[in-house]
Amino acid sequence: MFDPRSIPADHSTIEALRSRGLEYRQVDAADEAAMQAWVQAETRGFHHARPEPAELSRELRIAKQRSVRGVYDSTAHDAAVPVATVDGWPSGLSVPGGRSVDAWAVSAVTVSPTHRRRGIARALLEAQLRYASEAGAALAMLTLTEATIYGRYGFGPAASAATIKVDRRRVHWIGPDAPGRVQFVEPADLIAKAPAIARRAVARTPGEIDRWPGLLERHLGLVDPDSAASRALRVARYDDRSGQAQGFIAYTVGREPNQPGVVECDVFVAATDEAERALWHFLVELDFVTEIRARLRSVDEPLPWLLEDPRATSMHDVVDHLWLRVLDPIVALTAREYGASGTLTLEVADPLGHAAGTYVLDASGDGHAEVRRTDDAEGRADAVAAGSRSGRRSRGQTAHGLRLDVRELGAIYLGGVRPSVLARAGRIEELSPGSLALADRLFAAPRTPHLSIWF
Ligand SMILES: CC(C)(COP(=O)(O)OP(=O)(O)OC[C@H]1O[C@@H](n2cnc3c(N)ncnc32)[C@H](O)[C@@H]1OP(=O)(O)O)[C@@H](O)C(=O)NCCC(=O)NCCS
């Protein structure tokens, strides 16, 4: 398996930061003290409390699997603690059609307030994109705290998430009863089965990414099982009619003495539609509660359609959760399936260079597409002259094409927003009549993209 730590720190980043009196380096996974200092800097950067020992050792185990970089200031009070952090690792990203494309996850981007706005984040991000390309990733991806930072590096918002609230008193279930069974399980008993269930849930949902080792343990409260937060977690699993585990939820109920509670569900994993319905059914019919809140859910949940009163549910805090940055348009665009057949030219601008070029996407009726580059190295496009693989376009028929920035390519990639909406916002240019209508049909995804975790 590819080791993300094998990518050496690149010269240009080292030099760019050295010229500002800073040292940029990979943190040695075997150097426990350096790793701990890095984790402490990262948690401080996100304004989190210092991690408990169990959480710290878990963070260290995870960081050791990744390419962990820090920026150091030898003149600082504690020069062993980095003034900036970032990590990255290769990860699959599910795309429409059920395939997984090789991507590069970026996380832990922090710059100490003492060193802000000196171009450190820019240096780190641009380096991450180079590492991602070096690792063979077709895209880079991240979740973020502020939506104003990453567009400049070519990221676009590709999948949304929302908090779903349910007014328990208005719940009357009209959906089908699941043929299987929901039952409480102890987290320690579920952990053996959880990765396989999560893998199948990820595979069926465009926008979900591979779960890394240690994540599910955290979701199930197993990192520090004796902590108050872990003891409050309740876990339920859905087994289908044949007894196969197909989904699970983890939730807590907060309540005042003698008052009904409020359910908080942050972990909802369903490998089938049946499991999804069964777990919702279980959650929304919990007695002695007034409200159910489920975070990071899809903006396209079936829940309102399962209740007699759809207004028992409401959607809050809709956010642009997953951001994508296309690095290799040919690999990225070939990986996903398309909702129509047709030939579309994409003239992609990319100020950082990675994805710039003119590409012809030629989708056949079976959902698959061939993608090829048609401009030369200097970017001279021969887009309109580019013919379709199948030769479907007859003489005199207009070639369809769009002109867009790599950010917009990331945004439309999973089908989370229609190209025509971005054209209405003046962010995509239609090169010939009918191109947007074709692009809308091509990029439509059978399932709304969704990412249900932070990374
Ligand atoms: C966000 C953060 C990493 C920026 O670090 P930085 O080193 O100050 O950023 P840079 O000096 O490299 O600035 C890079 C660019 O982003 C812009 N920028 C930086 N922070 C910004 C913010 N919060 N909002 C809007 N723009 C921002 C800068 O203006 C600059 O733009 P330009 O290069 O086009 O002129 C830093 O403020 C931080 O650690 N914040 C807390 C943790 C966090 O939010 N991390 C992001 C995780 S998703």
Side-chain angles (χ1 to χ4, degrees):
M1 204 182 97
F2 176 78
D3 183 352
R5 293 167 303 176
S6 64
I7 303 174
D10 61 317
H11 209 65
S12 54
T13 315
I14 294 173
E15 283 311 316
L17 290 166
R18 184 177 291 155
S19 68
R20 285 164 234 181
L22 300 166
E23 189 197 348
Y24 169 72
R25 61 171 188 261
Q26 170 147 307
V27 185
D28 180 359
D31 185 340
E32 192 77 10
M35 271 291 184
Q36 283 203 21
W38 185 91
V39 171
Q40 297 289 4
E42 188 240 337
T43 45
R44 188 176 64 193
F46 284 113
H47 311 309
H48 294 320
R50 292 173 181 81
E52 301 274 359
E55 186 61 25
L56 177 62
S57 59
R58 171 191 168 272
E59 291 284 338
L60 289 173
R61 278 197 304 279
I62 291 171
K64 285 175 184 174
Q65 313 292 318
R66 299 181 175 174
S67 158
V68 172
R69 316 266 163 172
V71 177
Y72 296 83
D73 180 348
S74 60
T75 65
H77 167 67
D78 187 351
V81 177
V83 298
T85 60
V86 64
D87 68 14
W89 68 100
S91 170
L93 164 72
S94 299
V95 298
R99 282 170 68 186
S100 174
V101 63
D102 288 340
W104 179 265
V106 179
S107 187
V109 180
T110 74
V111 174
S112 166
T114 54
H115 289 69
R116 66 197 284 277
R117 308 300 182 268
R118 302 184 194 174
I120 298 178
R122 174 172 282 279
L124 296 183
L125 259 299
E126 290 184 2
Q128 284 295 314
L129 298 181
R130 288 194 288 273
Y131 303 153
S133 290
E134 219 163 296
L139 305 106
M141 55 190 183
L142 39 75
T143 55
L144 45 82
T145 51
E146 289 184 71
T148 46
I149 302 173
Y150 292 98
R152 56 174 57 73
Y153 310 115
F155 288 86
S160 302
T163 297
I164 307 286
K165 290 187 185 172
V166 184
D167 181 347
R168 169 68 184 94
R169 286 159 301 201
R170 294 172 74 170
V171 166
H172 176 66
W173 185 266
I174 56 164
D177 285 329
R181 175 175 181 189
V182 177
Q183 53 193 320
F184 283 111
V185 287
E186 281 304 314
D189 297 333
L190 178 64
I191 195 63
K193 288 184 174 173
I197 305 170
R199 232 182 343 266
R200 286 184 290 122
V202 165
R204 77 189 194 118
T205 313
E208 291 282 12
I209 74 160
D210 294 347
R211 285 6 183 192
W212 53 91
L215 182 70
L216 293 169
E217 280 79 357
R218 181 158 142 244
H219 284 174
L220 294 175
L222 292 168
V223 174
D224 192 0
D226 295 327
S227 68
S230 297
R231 285 186 295 111
L233 263 192
R234 300 293 174 193
V235 177
R237 188 183 77 204
Y238 176 71
D239 299 340
D240 65 16
R241 199 199 310 253
S242 66
Q244 194 181 352
Q246 299 287 14
F248 58 91
I249 47 175
Y251 67 93
T252 58
V253 185
R255 50 180 290 264
E256 298 298 320
N258 297 324
Q259 296 297 316
V262 173
V263 175
E264 306 267 1
C265 178
D266 290 346
V267 178
F268 191 124
V269 180
T272 63
D273 291 344
E274 180 185 294
E276 185 172 66
R277 285 194 297 272
L279 291 167
W280 271 125
H281 195 171
F282 173 89
L283 264 182
V284 301
E285 285 196 346
L286 282 170
D287 285 325
F288 199 39
V289 302
T290 53
E291 189 175 81
I292 296 96
R293 297 181 196 150
R295 274 188 283 259
L296 290 187
R297 298 312 310 152
S298 170
V299 292
D300 202 13
E301 286 289 327
L303 183 62
W305 303 95
L306 293 165
L307 303 178
E308 183 183 52
D309 180 358
R311 295 186 192 174
T313 69
S314 52
M315 208 188 285
H316 305 260
D317 302 329
V318 178
V319 284
D320 46 73
H321 187 48
L322 173 73
W323 286 59
L324 292 181
R325 202 287 180 209
V326 177
L327 294 162
D328 184 336
I330 294 180
V331 174
L333 291 167
T334 307
R336 63 155 288 177
E337 287 189 5
Y338 294 86
S341 61
T343 302
L344 183 72
T345 297
L346 298 169
E347 289 185 28
V348 181
D350 181 354
L352 296 179
H354 299 277
T358 298
Y359 304 87
V360 170
L361 189 155
D362 194 5
S364 53
D366 62 2
H368 298 287
E370 246 178 41
V371 183
R372 61 189 186 283
R373 190 169 173 173
T374 60
D375 59 337
D376 60 22
E378 277 73 49
R380 280 191 294 269
D382 188 21
V384 178
S388 114
R389 156 171 61 119
S390 53
R392 272 188 303 274
R393 193 178 341 116
S394 57
R395 196 185 293 273
Q397 195 175 338
T398 322
H400 288 124
L402 304 180
R403 184 172 293 137
L404 71 175
D405 188 272
V406 66
R407 286 173 310 185
E408 279 68 47
L409 185 59
I412 65 172
Y413 177 63
L414 296 176
V417 60
R418 287 201 302 279
S420 60
V421 173
L422 297 187
R424 278 158 58 198
R427 297 177 66 150
I428 286 183
E429 189 185 337
E430 184 178 48
L431 296 178
S432 64
S435 301
L436 277 170
L438 173 64
D440 281 1
R441 289 198 303 278
L442 283 170
F443 281 87
R447 200 180 172 92
T448 302
H450 171 217
L451 172 69
S452 59
I453 58 167
W454 282 98
F455 68 91

